[in-house]
Structures are given as C-alpha cells and as structure tokens.
Amino acid sequence: MTVYTITESPVGPLQLISNGDALTGLFMNQHKNGPETGEDWMRDDENALLIETRTQLAAYFAGERKTFDLPMSPRGTDFQRRVWSALSDIPYGVTISYGELARRIGDPKASRAVGMANGSNPLSIIVPCHRVIGASGKLTGYGGGIERKRALLALEGCLPGGGAPSFSFDQSVTPSVASRNA
C-alpha cells in the first residue's frame, strides 16, 4: 500500500509518498511527471515516516538543516538511480552543471541523459536536483518549476547572480490527484 500526506511549505504544498518502509516521492503542486494516486493509495497524516519527513523539511526551510536523514526508495532505472545517488552528494549551497554531474557518474558524454534522469527525480528537495544548473550558470529545467528552483537555490545561498529567497507561491491550493499531470 502507498501512503501519502500533503504538507505546506514556503514553495507551496508538497505531497510526501511512502511505501510503508521508505520515502518514495516528494512532489510539488503541478509537478511535471508527478504521480497519480491509485486505488491502493491512502492518505495518512499520522504516518511516522511522513511526520519525520515534514519535520526535516521544516528545518531545511528554516535554514537549520542541510542534509536529510530518511529511508528512501525511489523507483527508476539503474542509470537514474546512479544519477540520483550522485545528486545526493552535491553539498548544500553548491551548484554543478549537468556536464559535471555526467562526469561524476563516469559518463562525461551523457549530459543529456543525466538531464533527463535529473528531471525524473521523484524525491525533489531531498535528492537535490535543484542544485544542477546549465554550464553557463543559467537555471534550466525543474519539475517543480524554475521559480521554485530559484527559491531553493536562494534559500541555500547559491543562486547564480545572488539574491535572497522570495517565496511567493500560493500555498492555499492543495495539489489534487487529477491535476498533477495536467
């Protein structure tokens, strides 16, 4: 069974998803490639893992946490999981290019494939795909939207060109299952 909850954040509502043993997803409102709930999904706002995830996310947004310590089990190909593992090694407050990420996984010619895997990351924020930017320093692609990427990088103090965090997202709308892939 899949359990989930919705939690508010400075970047809008977040859907946290678990298989009961590990976190399997963290998606933003109107997230590109976000999941659709199935018949075996159950909302559980009291699930211990999802509560701990909310707690760690709140500390991250408050600037009190730079890494996450949660059991995770993202579903993806071997290549995607290699990319996601390398993403987890990018320190808080640091950005790298897609090309650098490709080099880090030992496949320097795979920057496009790395970009696709980066865009398929099911654990946004926790597996920090927002820390990957274009070689020119330009913010490119983000499943949660470029403005959220900009806000996360500003929060971490690594927004190219500087800037302060400005979270101005509508937090009053809870992501609906039907609209996730709209």
Side-chain angles (χ1 to χ4, degrees):
M1 171 173 291
T2 300
V3 296
Y4 74 97
T5 192
I6 306 294
T7 190
E8 294 300 322
S9 83
V11 294
L14 303 175
Q15 183 181 44
L16 312 177
I17 306 167
S18 172
N19 63 9
D21 297 318
L23 194 64
T24 58
L26 187 158
F27 295 92
M28 299 172 190
N29 196 24
Q30 299 177 344
H31 198 112
K32 183 180 176 186
N33 301 320
E36 292 186 32
T37 59
E39 291 180 18
D40 65 335
W41 285 48
M42 181 179 79
R43 182 161 179 164
D44 185 355
D45 297 332
E46 301 304 318
N47 177 278
L49 174 58
L50 299 180
I51 290 171
E52 179 59 23
T53 303
R54 279 196 312 251
T55 300
Q56 290 190 28
L57 284 166
Y60 167 81
F61 285 115
E64 300 164 356
R65 176 176 277 278
K66 296 183 178 185
T67 61
F68 295 90
D69 183 21
L70 299 162
M72 296 179 284
S73 184
R75 297 180 83 191
T77 67
D78 289 343
F79 180 79
Q80 287 172 325
R81 287 194 306 270
R82 277 184 32 224
V83 170
W84 302 336
S85 177
L87 288 171
S88 294
D89 293 335
I90 304 170
Y92 179 98
V94 172
T95 59
I96 66 169
S97 70
Y98 293 95
E100 173 60 23
L101 185 56
R103 284 188 288 283
R104 289 183 182 192
I105 66 163
D107 200 348
K109 294 182 180 182
S111 59
R112 284 185 184 230
V114 161
M116 297 280 290
N118 198 52
S120 299
N121 172 19
L123 292 165
S124 293
I125 302 171
I126 292 172
V127 174
C129 54
H130 60 277
R131 296 179 187 153
V132 182
I133 61 175
S136 68
K138 183 178 178 184
L139 301 188
T140 59
Y142 187 62
I146 291 295
E147 286 308 310
R148 287 186 179 110
K149 183 173 190 165
R150 183 182 326 282
L152 294 169
L153 293 176
L155 172 73
E156 295 184 15
C158 60
L159 181 64
S166 97
F167 302 109
S168 59
F169 302 99
D170 179 6
Q171 296 185 32
S172 64
V173 180
T174 301
S176 73
V177 177
S179 69
R180 272 220 179 270
N181 292 323

